[in-house]
């Protein structure tokens, strides 16, 4: 009890001392005295990079004026609480202290909350930010950390992860996956924005470092899906979409809902059969006038006016009508015809069928899931 009381008394002393300032802006300059990593400059420089990345990612989201104002002000104050006496002594209070001090020193509740939310989530069980400004700052924080460390070659190895990059990658995945307003942001988008901010500071970032960091984050997402109970085949089925975690999650949910649906297995078999015969990079276009067999003409007619589906569920509903024409085509038609023009038309016809499905799916894995 006496030990705990002493710690509470320390906290109260630092709390009161910190609140003697007129504005939390006083602490921002103190970040220049803190070193993040010798090759990466001060915490102040890192805070400015975070604000830059968050702002860049927010440009395409159509933020409301009040959200943009909140993001700008919170970006100016990013990480300021690391220079306070309370957080210097009790680092786990980062974010909490930022919010409470900001509220008491005249910042708006929205700015205070964004400063708190930029530290979320700490673990896989923590809540993600509730506001877009807070979410963008959280992404800016984690993208900067990941890109900076990979640029320096300081990626985790084995059980060693001194900079918490696995936790940062998990945070990126969860924020992008769970906040609908961020669905358009991809992992690579954030890493490229972070790389540009680092380059402006004079830190060289190679394309290999960006790709390695992206692969690392996607790997954490794959592990998260497995930890949540999804099979290895289901993870592999949507992994090509994992750079956009929200998209990959929607595809996985659709695939799980389709298991056992009448006709879905036949659709999968048809698409897998097409993918097995198609050479890489076959264009989804063909000349209908070249086609000669009744079966291929029927399939071409069935394709008329069809548009690519944006979701797996949408493709499943529309593709059921194509299963029989596809089967008849393979039964009656020699795809690899001797005549180059006819062969190209038949391959283009099959590629046009495959192009109706959403991109970013591994059909061999989907085939394994549905068996």
């Amino acid at each position: 009890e006496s030990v705990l009381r002493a710690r509470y008394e320390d906290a109260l002393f630092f709390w009161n001392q910190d609140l003697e300032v007129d504005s939390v802006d006083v602490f921002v300059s103190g970040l220049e005295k803190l070193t993040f990593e010798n090759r990466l400059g001060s915490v102040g420089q890192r805070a400015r990079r975070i604000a830059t990345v968050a702002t860049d990612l927010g440009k395409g989201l159509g933020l409301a004026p009040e959200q943009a104002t909140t993001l700008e002000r919170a970006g100016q104050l990013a990480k300021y609480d690391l220079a306070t006496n309370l957080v210097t002594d009790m680092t786990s209070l980062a974010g909490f202290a930022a919010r409470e001090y900001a509220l008491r020193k005249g910042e708006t509740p929205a700015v205070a909350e964004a400063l708190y939310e930029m530290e979320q989530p700490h673990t896989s069980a923590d809540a993600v930010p509730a506001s877009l400004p807070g979410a963008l700052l959280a992404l800016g924080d984690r993208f900067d950390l990941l890109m900076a460390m990979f640029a320096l070659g300081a990626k985790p190895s084995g059980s060693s992860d001194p900079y918490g990059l696995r936790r940062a990658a998990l945070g990126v995945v969860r924020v992008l996956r769970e906040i609908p307003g961020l669905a358009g942001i991809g992992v690579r988008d954030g890493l490229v924005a972070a790389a540009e901010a680092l380059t402006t500071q004079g830190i060289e970032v190679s394309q290999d470092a960006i790709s390695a960091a992206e692969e690392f984050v996607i790997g954490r997402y794959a592990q998260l899906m497995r930890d949540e109970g999804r099979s290895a085949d289901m993870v592999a089925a949507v992994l090509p979409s994992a750079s956009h975690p929200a998209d990959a999650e929607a595809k996985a949910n659709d695939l799980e809902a389709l298991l056992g649906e009448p006709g879905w297995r036949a659709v999968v078999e048809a698409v897998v059969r097409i993918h097995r015969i198609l050479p890489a990079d076959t264009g989804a276009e063909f000349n209908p006038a070249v086609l000669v067999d009744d079966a291929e003409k029927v399939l071409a007619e069935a394709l008329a006016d069809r548009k690519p589906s944006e979701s797996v569920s949408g493709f499943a509903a529309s593709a059921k009508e194509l299963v029989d024409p596809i089967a008849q085509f393979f039964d009656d038609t020699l795809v690899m015809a001797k005549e180059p023009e006819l062969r190209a038309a038949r391959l283009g016809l099959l590629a046009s069928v495959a192009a109706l499905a959403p991109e970013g799916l591994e059909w061999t894995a989907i085939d394994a899931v549905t068996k």
Side-chain angles (χ1 to χ4, degrees), residues 98-261:
R99 179 181 61 187
E100 300 304 319
Y101 288 174
L103 285 172
R104 285 161 175 76
K105 292 301 172 181
E107 301 297 332
T108 66
V111 168
E113 198 62 28
L115 290 168
Y116 172 72
E117 289 176 335
M118 74 177 295
E119 302 295 336
Q120 295 177 300
H122 293 285
T123 70
S124 59
D126 285 350
V128 297
S131 71
L132 282 181
L136 289 169
L137 287 169
L139 288 175
D141 184 358
R142 288 153 179 80
F143 278 131
D144 176 73
L145 177 62
L146 287 160
M147 195 66 267
M149 291 301 104
F150 272 83
L152 299 180
K155 61 183 180 180
S157 58
S159 60
S160 176
D161 186 11
Y163 292 99
L165 299 188
R166 293 186 179 96
R167 184 171 65 250
L170 181 60
V172 164
V173 167
R174 289 199 56 215
V175 170
L176 291 179
R177 183 181 72 167
E178 297 175 32
I179 300 178
L182 303 177
I185 298 176
V187 172
R188 194 172 188 87
D189 298 329
L191 292 171
V192 168
E196 291 174 352
L198 286 162
T199 302
T200 302
Q201 192 181 313
I203 299 166
E204 183 177 349
V205 182
S206 68
Q207 290 299 313
D208 287 344
I210 295 174
S211 297
E214 181 183 25
E215 183 180 350
F216 176 76
V217 175
I218 290 174
R220 297 310 299 167
Y221 181 38
Q223 184 60 53
L224 175 63
M225 286 192 286
R226 288 191 289 268
D227 291 344
E228 291 174 340
R230 288 194 163 113
S231 68
D233 287 326
M234 181 61 76
V235 173
V238 301
L239 204 57
S241 298
S243 188
H244 285 76
D247 182 38
E249 190 71 13
K251 287 183 170 75
N253 290 337
D254 279 354
L255 288 171
E256 289 172 341
L258 285 166
L259 294 177
E261 282 286 318

Side-chain angles (χ1 to χ4, degrees), residues 22 27 34 125 129 168 207 220 281 304 346 362:
D22 295 327
F27 296 113
L34 304 176
Q207 290 299 313
R220 297 310 299 167
D281 301 324
R346 289 172 174 173
E362 175 51 62

Side-chain angles (χ1 to χ4, degrees), residues 37 49 60 87 105 117 129 131 139 160 176 238 242 256 260 274 276 278 280 286 293 297 311-312 341 346 362:
E37 206 278 347
R49 293 198 305 268
V87 175
K105 292 301 172 181
E117 289 176 335
S131 71
L139 288 175
S160 176
L176 291 179
V238 301
E256 289 172 341
I274 289 172
R276 283 175 179 163
L278 277 180
F286 63 96
D293 291 348
K297 291 179 180 180
S311 67
V312 177
E341 191 176 13
R346 289 172 174 173
E362 175 51 62

